[in-house]
Amino acid sequence: MSADPPVAPPAGGRGDSPPPGLEHIRALIAAAGRSAHYEVVSLVGSGGIGAVYKAVDTRLARPVAIKALHGAQLLDTRGAARLRAEALAAASLDHPYICKIYELVDTGSEPLIVMEFVEGETLAAVLARGVPSIEATVRVAIEIAEGLAAAHAHGLVHRDVKPANVVITTHGHVKLLDFGLALADPTAGETRIAPPLSDAFAGTPHYMAPEQAAGRPVTARADLFSFGVVLFECLSGRLPFRGSNAYDYVRRIQSDPPIRLDRIAPAVPADLARLVDACLEKVPADRPASAGEVVAELRRIAGGLSSSGIGGNAETAGAVRRRTHVQRWLWAGALGAMAIALAWIAGRDANPAPVWMHRPFVTTSAEEFESRISPDAQWVSFISSAAGLTELKVRRVDGGDAQRVATSDGTVVSQVWSPDGARIAYVVRQASASRLVVVPAFFGGTPVASVAMAAGSAPFKLLRWIGHIVYVQVSDARGRSLWKVDLDAGTFQPVSAAWRVDGTPEEFDVRPADGRVVFSMAIAGQEDLWTANLDGSSMRRVTNDQFFERHPIWAGRDDTVIYQTNRSGQVDLWETSLSSGRSSPLTSSPTVELPDSTSPDGRLVSFQQTSQAAHLWIVDGAAGRQVTDDALRDSSPSVARDGARVVFQRNPAVTREGNESLDAVLFTGAIQRGQPVAAPRALTDGFAPIVSPDGRRIAYHRMAPDGAHAAVFVLDLSSDQKTQVSSTGRVPGYATFPSDWTEPHVAWAPDGAALFVIDESQGWVVRRYVIGASAPDAPLAQADAQEVFHGLSVSPDGRWLALLVSRRGASFARLIDLEQRASRDVRLEGSGSTFMRGWLADSQGVVVVRSRVVHEDRSADVDVLVVRPPDTADVVLRLAGVFGPTTRLDGAARAIYATVVEAGVHNVVEYPLKGGRGRKMTDNRLAGVTFAGLAPLPDGTLLASRAEQKNDIWLMAMAGR
């Protein structure tokens, strides 16, 4: 039976270089002198920040595992600190169910951990094969809980309890792995370790306790929540909360009750289901008091299983059969791991399952995506975006400089190799048209062939070049479909349009050997993998579970498919054999991975790794200071008039596809110049918050039940009382990277006593809601059938309400005199996007930003206008390279702030409304860094969300390649 290779504690995080080579590790050990008795044998696996090697302790004649950092991590003191913290945390524990730490080797330059070599397979791999028996689950759960009890007794909270960190050994017992995130329990007194402060918020989203997901301090009871999730998954085969993605899942952990275990797994005994429910309580104090208490309850439940005949009795033949069933599950795969160990001892090459090694391939500050491995597996082509340009490049697999492939004018959006590796086909977008162009692979230049694609600017993704056909994935308003380009005939035709399907096909790939198509398809919100012939016949469902499976590609080995899924609790790459049904993870990282291509023999895989972090910063000239620090994305700050209170939203990291729920967790906290936001407090789920001028309330949005509108709420910050103002509000527009709400659709009166809302209950209307009233007032403005409202602002003196109106392709600013109930429309010249940006301090005009020319990098040349009652509009500034959604007025309404782009780099610039030279507010020199959510503070500084996004190309090679 094939099985996972021997497992040692995996590293977490993200690496920027390949794992150190065997000779390098051997040299380090030799340099350490007293540790020279370790003989390094092989690389076992590579994680985010480190790699694990198998070695022999020649003094004691036993196998050990040695953990080392990736090269790039050595430049980051946090990586070394975390490795030492892991060693110190686990070394303080001596328990049969916890992986033992033997030694922390100080080589003088790079720390190494020597630890127990654990033979077996992870619980995650076991669960990938199916749900185990109740008896087996209880037995494993007892041992996990006993290991946690031992850690908690030493004052440690593991913080990352999940199936991937639990190994079922060859002896059928549990080993808890990876204490790299362990923290001291603040309720447990002194402890002997102190991990890096930058890791104060970490873990795997789908297994986090609510308090951990919110970034609050955690105790041992946070581990009990994670344990409850693992137990729920073992009993039912699914996670206890629903969620469309990692962030949506985390949000539901904090707000929704878990799925009823008795409804999806009715065979689970009631007392076991009650224990799971107790572990999953939202409030830590409502969970079991300790892991020891959980152990006692599980042992009582195990006894009940035996007496009821479910588990049997040692004296009965039935019990022997049942015990054999339990042991069969516990030993499944462990026998394969034992075979590996025996083969190593005997010097044979057993290799029953592939071992994959990961290394970054291209990790510049620019975005790299859409990688393709050449047919001879010697080159990788990819698209690179730098300085606002996209270029097609090729680079050798074994390293060296990337070479630019000369392409036609326009934007290269996709590419693929010819079967003989001599040519590359790429799609270039020019104005509103796109073409498929074929050029020599290593030079480019003059096209060998050129075929017009469908009219319009629909996104195209080249999948495979088979014979004279290039298969293309097309995205349009109806979804994604499979097309083909016949290079001989010069035609572009649909393939999947005639398929008879019950759902919505998404991502495709075509197998060169026989034209079999693998694709993902959503049915009733559930995304699974399917296969079919090119004509849509012989359709077969490959997966059928509550997780999503997306972006499948043929692996090049038999009938194996590689794809993206969240079945391990985070977004990773997995592979599945269509014939055997065997599934196993290929990556395990807090970043997002997307498979791109494989070599023809399937032993080399290229994939994208995307990560984004965002924190609030105070910006003042070239200086800046970070004021929030957490593992999620802090954005959209809104500041009270006195600058004492800030409200912001905490989102997940954004993938290249922007695949996230709108709803975030809203936080509030006190802000002081240059200091961290004081004691940020979670408020509620929502997005696009706006704090009232007096700082007493916030208006915020949540998606309405119809999924098309935004419900508008008001939250009193002193009483936490929520009042729904509207269920049919307009969803504010949203721009990504810089990530910002394009404009508000609610506006506070200057005294905070009323809120103005754009509503769509009976056509577009504007209503006023007076705080404390039972319902909003009658409409202040009513759109006709040709009009759409967007953007609101109230003048400082409370007399004027300004809103933007789109009518038959033209834009107007409507100025409403709230005293006279009269209005006047002022036409805004031009045809670009328009953003309402607020009133001048004297209430004599409202500032509007209007795009004139939009560039390829999504920046624009804009006009800044002042619209004055009753009917004038004057251009006061013309700015170039500005991201319109980020523009904001300063507190005194004398200048406008904007994020601008120059040579591919983003910075914040302040422009006086009366003209004159702009003042640079930031000194950023890194591509991939940007600023949004600009919120002026009373002292003239600026609060902003600083985001850093990286999309890199990584390679994954099968050991022995």
Side-chain angles (χ1 to χ4, degrees), residues 440-526:
F442 299 99
F443 307 102
T446 304
V448 176
S450 180
V451 178
M453 310 292 274
S457 57
F460 301 100
K461 178 182 178 182
L462 302 187
L463 303 174
R464 299 277 181 171
W465 186 338
I466 304 173
H468 61 94
I469 301 295
V470 177
Y471 290 96
V472 187
Q473 180 177 290
V474 178
S475 301
D476 57 28
R478 296 180 299 274
R480 296 185 177 97
S481 54
L482 182 64
W483 290 57
K484 66 178 181 180
V485 175
D486 188 319
L487 295 176
D488 290 347
T491 57
F492 181 54
Q493 297 175 321
V495 173
S496 64
W499 288 6
R500 297 175 63 88
V501 294
D502 296 326
T504 306
E506 290 291 335
E507 306 287 337
F508 299 83
D509 192 22
V510 182
R511 187 162 58 189
D514 56 7
R516 188 76 173 158
V517 182
V518 62
F519 59 99
S520 61
M521 182 162 65
I523 299 178
Q526 179 176 312

Side-chain angles (χ1 to χ4, degrees), residues 857-946:
D857 59 12
R858 300 193 301 274
S859 70
D861 298 341
V862 304
D863 289 341
V864 180
L865 303 93
V866 175
V867 182
R868 303 178 187 275
D871 56 7
T872 62
D874 300 318
V875 176
V876 296
L877 287 176
R878 288 204 153 176
L879 308 177
V882 168
F883 292 98
T886 68
T887 52
R888 295 291 188 275
L889 276 180
D890 76 336
R894 293 191 294 260
I896 195 163
Y897 299 112
T899 301
V900 301
V901 59
E902 185 177 6
V905 174
H906 296 187
N907 275 292
V908 178
V909 179
E910 178 189 45
Y911 297 100
L913 288 179
K914 292 185 178 180
R917 188 180 184 86
R919 179 172 73 100
K920 213 172 185 182
M921 300 286 289
T922 57
D923 188 25
N924 173 50
R925 303 178 187 181
L926 300 174
V929 170
T930 193
F931 304 87
L934 311 180
L937 298 174
D939 62 2
T941 61
L942 194 65
L943 187 65
S945 176
R946 181 187 185 274

Side-chain angles (χ1 to χ4, degrees), residues 768 777-780 816-823:
R768 177 175 59 186
D777 294 342
L780 295 169
I816 302 173
D817 188 329
L818 295 175
E819 294 179 359
Q820 303 295 326
R821 293 298 178 99
S823 65

Side-chain angles (χ1 to χ4, degrees), residues 655-674:
T655 67
R656 282 189 63 236
E657 297 181 323
N659 199 11
E660 62 167 320
S661 167
L662 285 177
D663 282 347
V665 178
L666 303 184
F667 280 76
T668 186
I671 187 167
Q672 299 174 357
R673 178 181 172 85

Side-chain angles (χ1 to χ4, degrees), residues 5 114 172 539 544 706 857 880:
V114 182
M539 196 166 292
N544 187 5
D706 64 6
D857 59 12

